[in-house]
Amino acid sequence: MKTLQKSKIARQLSCLSTKDQQHFLLFVNSPYFNTNQSTADLASYLLGPPCCNWGTITKQGISRALFRGEVYNESKINALMTKLMALLRRFVLHHQLEESPLAKELILKNMLGYGMHDWFAQEYQKMSDTQAERQLKLNEQQIHWLDDLEKAVPSELLVENIQLATQTYFKNSLEYACTLVQIAQTTQTTIDTKVVTRIHDQLIDQWPELLKIPLIKLYYYNLKVIWGQEREAAYQQLKQVFYDHTNQWEERDLFNAYRSIINFCVRKTNTGDKYFQRETLRIYQFIIQKKHILKNGQIKQVTYNNVISLACLEKEFAWAKEFAEDFKSFLAPEVQKNAYFFNSMNILYHEKDYSSSLGIMQKVNFTSVQYQAKTKIIQLKIYYELAEWLLLDAALNSFRLFLLRTKKSGLHSDQLLVFIRFLRQLAKIREKKNIVTDTKYLRLLAALKTKITASPKTTFDQRWLLLKIGEQGAFI
């Protein structure tokens, strides 16, 4: 009978020290890592006394020991050995990772993945605060390391590896600095900017030649866009690097870059700069053309909605319809139909096909208060455009009650309540159009415009309200 002497599993298990073999047995017997008792029994059989006596162990012997009274089944033993090899791989990764300098970096990344932003900020700051001290120790050891390495490794390869390690360090440091600033801005918390400044200055003062490397340049200008003084100039540089080298980036790097580019454009658009509204759409279209809009093979519902809304504002209705159709299959299955119907309704509303928009509105399933609120807003606007004052009044009352009931749902309820109040006032003025003089009508519109712009409370979609007031003034 053939023994396991030359088998793969024997070779790999023999590489473990006695202590590591005992740790592996504990690993295999942990229900967190392994729920198959037969696999644990196989590990105990192979590594138990007498350990690793491969010249005497056979598959038939394993079968008799583990499955007494059963007919020998080689496929069953092979499958069990494959499972044990998979567990050995996990053990090696788990065991080595605990001792690896990459462990802290991976922990930080996973904190971000789980949304533990405050913890990430604390841990990153701790790691950065001790960085200078660690660097001094490394510098003291560096000469000894290089002497030892030069004896074993060709100098060209040594230099190449040092350069690669330096690039990786700065890429990761810049990425974490960007994340730290973004978390602080999003959560409106204060961070110690010494951490970010140290990374920035270390790159510029000691390693400026690294800025010739596209990936380093990408994160450097990314940081400048969200944190620097000359943000618009940095934005242009970041956009250019992104366009020139977009096919070289990994998915995470692409996402980090285009998120900063889009966010910058949105902030500029919100200040009233119409150029950046169109710029945002052009960037989205570039990303979509390159299929970079997908993350793990899917498009986020909020991104899908934002792209279509933006295309509608820019009156690119044909493109919006094509995008909605082409990318609906990339949405998560549970939101696919709803997102498609809602956005079809939105496109028809912007095309002023109000009856068709109201027809599709019946197909939108209110799976969240956000969808319900967005749908009701479009409904209000349609009733206003159609001058359906009774329907509008009823819908305004219904929406107001809805907002009061859902105040703690994450909606911008206060802004929407102000919008309702001003829209109701605008509707009342329009109802008076045929019973007051043109002069008085204009005076009423001008007074409402002043109230809206001077309101101490932020108004949802103020731009739309002012546009409608302007349209009424132009009709006279």
Side-chain angles (χ1 to χ4, degrees):
M1 282 184 284
K2 190 176 179 181
T3 69
L4 299 189
Q5 184 74 50
K6 296 182 180 181
S7 66
K8 185 177 181 180
I9 196 166
R11 291 199 308 274
Q12 308 316 322
L13 287 174
S14 297
C15 292
L16 298 179
S17 67
T18 303
K19 184 178 178 181
D20 286 339
Q21 287 174 358
Q22 294 307 308
H23 286 166
F24 179 56
L25 283 174
L26 292 172
F27 182 90
V28 172
N29 280 281
S30 166
Y32 181 79
F33 296 108
N34 175 39
T35 56
N36 187 307
Q37 186 56 46
S38 296
T39 311
D41 293 342
L42 175 61
S44 298
Y45 180 82
L46 295 176
L47 295 175
C51 176
C52 306
N53 193 4
W54 308 114
T56 61
I57 298 176
T58 64
K59 291 181 182 179
Q60 290 84 347
I62 293 171
S63 180
R64 284 194 298 272
L66 270 56
F67 307 108
R68 292 178 184 175
E70 292 186 20
V71 176
Y72 170 62
N73 184 333
E74 186 174 6
S75 298
K76 187 175 182 179
I77 302 300
N78 287 341
L80 209 56
M81 292 169 71
T82 300
K83 287 178 182 176
L84 189 61
M85 281 297 297
L87 283 169
L88 182 57
R89 280 193 208 95
R90 288 186 67 189
F91 169 76
V92 170
L93 173 64
H94 180 81
H95 186 66
Q96 293 301 317
L97 189 57
E98 287 186 340
E99 306 299 325
S100 169
L102 292 174
K104 286 187 177 179
E105 180 183 333
L106 291 172
I107 289 169
L108 286 173
K109 286 181 180 177
N110 284 330
M111 282 178 181
L112 288 178
Y114 284 117
M116 301 171 179
H117 295 150
D118 56 339
W119 197 10
F120 168 88
Q122 292 169 10
E123 291 299 312
Y124 182 73
Q125 197 122 2
K126 279 187 207 170
M127 192 172 78
S128 298
D129 287 343
T130 58
Q131 185 181 341
E133 185 181 336
R134 288 200 309 271
Q135 191 64 47
L136 284 173
K137 290 181 181 177
L138 284 172
N139 289 342
E140 289 173 6
Q141 295 172 358
Q142 191 173 27
I143 296 172
H144 303 297
W145 286 347
L146 290 175
D147 286 344
D148 293 339
L149 281 168
E150 283 178 349
K151 295 173 186 175
V153 182
S155 58
E156 298 85 357
L157 183 59
L158 182 60
V159 170
E160 184 181 333
N161 280 310
I162 290 171
Q163 289 174 339
L164 183 60
T166 305
Q167 291 171 26
T168 303
Y169 162 75
F170 275 109
K171 183 263 179 184
N172 290 341
S173 295
L174 288 167
E175 182 181 359
Y176 284 137
C178 290
T179 305
L180 197 62
V181 173
Q182 286 166 338
I183 289 170
Q185 292 172 348
T186 304
T187 59
Q188 297 183 331
T189 54
T190 304
I191 61 166
D192 182 358
T193 55
K194 287 187 294 187
V195 176
V196 182
T197 304
R198 184 163 63 231
I199 294 167
H200 175 274
D201 292 350
Q202 191 179 15
L203 176 63
I204 297 303
D205 296 341
Q206 299 178 29
W207 299 89
E209 68 274 12
L210 290 181
L211 284 173
K212 295 176 183 176
I213 299 167
L215 190 57
I216 301 293
K217 195 188 293 187
L218 184 84
Y219 277 103
Y220 173 74
Y221 286 118
N222 194 345
L223 181 61
K224 299 280 276 187
V225 163
I226 61 177
W227 180 69
Q229 299 299 316
E230 299 176 357
R231 296 188 181 185
E232 192 156 339
Y235 162 78
Q236 296 296 342
Q237 294 275 13
L238 175 61
K239 187 177 73 168
Q240 196 58 53
V241 176
F242 182 73
Y243 279 1
D244 289 347
H245 303 280
T246 187
N247 292 325
Q248 299 176 18
W249 315 127
E250 292 183 6
E251 188 176 87
R252 188 179 79 251
D253 303 322
L254 278 167
F255 175 75
N256 287 339
Y258 90 67
R259 179 179 59 183
S260 289
I261 291 169
I262 293 291
N263 287 346
F264 178 84
C265 289
V266 169
R267 285 195 298 272
K268 295 291 284 185
T269 301
N270 289 341
T271 65
D273 193 330
K274 283 290 189 73
Y275 168 81
F276 278 96
Q277 179 174 287
R278 175 153 290 273
E279 174 90 335
T280 309
L281 181 60
R282 291 290 166 261
I283 291 162
Y284 267 131
Q285 288 173 332
F286 174 80
I287 296 165
I288 289 160
Q289 180 193 2
K290 297 285 185 178
K291 291 290 193 291
H292 297 326
I293 199 79
L294 302 178
K295 192 173 182 183
N296 298 322
Q298 285 192 337
I299 184 170
K300 286 187 175 181
Q301 184 177 199
V302 65
T303 305
Y304 184 80
N305 294 347
N306 287 345
V307 169
I308 293 170
S309 293
L310 193 57
C312 288
L313 290 173
E314 288 297 315
K315 302 189 186 308
E316 295 198 14
F317 303 124
W319 184 88
K321 289 177 183 177
E322 185 180 347
F323 171 79
E325 194 67 44
D326 291 348
F327 281 83
K328 68 178 180 182
S329 60
F330 293 105
L331 288 160
E334 64 272 15
V335 302
Q336 198 172 106
K337 278 188 179 180
N338 218 33
Y340 178 70
F341 285 138
F342 171 79
N343 283 286
S344 298
M345 174 193 74
N346 195 21
I347 294 168
L348 289 166
Y349 158 72
H350 279 90
E351 286 186 304
K352 301 185 178 180
D353 186 352
Y354 301 131
S355 60
S356 297
S357 182
L358 288 171
I360 291 184
M361 194 176 291
Q362 309 305 316
K363 296 182 180 180
V364 178
N365 183 18
F366 297 143
T367 53
S368 69
V369 291
Q370 284 77 17
Y371 260 127
Q372 195 166 356
K374 287 177 181 178
T375 304
K376 284 180 176 291
I377 289 163
I378 292 176
Q379 184 184 46
L380 293 175
K381 290 179 177 180
I382 289 175
Y383 288 156
Y384 171 84
E385 299 289 1
L386 296 174
E388 293 283 1
W389 308 127
L390 291 176
L391 289 174
L392 176 60
D393 189 59
L396 285 167
N397 289 332
S398 171
F399 192 30
R400 181 177 176 277
L401 290 173
F402 165 79
L403 291 172
L404 292 173
R405 285 197 310 270
T406 57
K407 266 221 165 189
K408 295 181 180 179
S409 63
L411 290 172
H412 298 293
S413 299
D414 292 339
Q415 295 180 25
L416 287 165
L417 287 167
V418 177
F419 173 80
I420 287 173
R421 177 157 52 88
F422 286 137
L423 178 54
R424 192 189 297 278
Q425 291 176 29
L426 178 57
K428 293 294 182 187
I429 293 171
R430 276 198 61 187
E431 285 187 81
K432 295 177 182 177
K433 184 174 182 180
N434 296 324
I435 59 174
V436 298
T437 64
D438 287 351
T439 303
K440 185 171 182 180
Y441 189 65
L442 286 173
R443 213 167 40 238
L444 290 169
L445 290 171
L448 179 58
K449 181 177 179 180
T450 301
K451 282 171 70 175
I452 291 172
T453 53
S455 174
K457 293 185 177 179
T458 306
T459 306
F460 174 82
D461 212 348
Q462 184 187 86
R463 185 170 56 177
W464 182 84
L465 288 168
L466 296 176
L467 176 66
K468 295 302 149 184
I469 290 172
E471 286 176 358
Q472 289 305 303
F475 290 151
I476 296 176

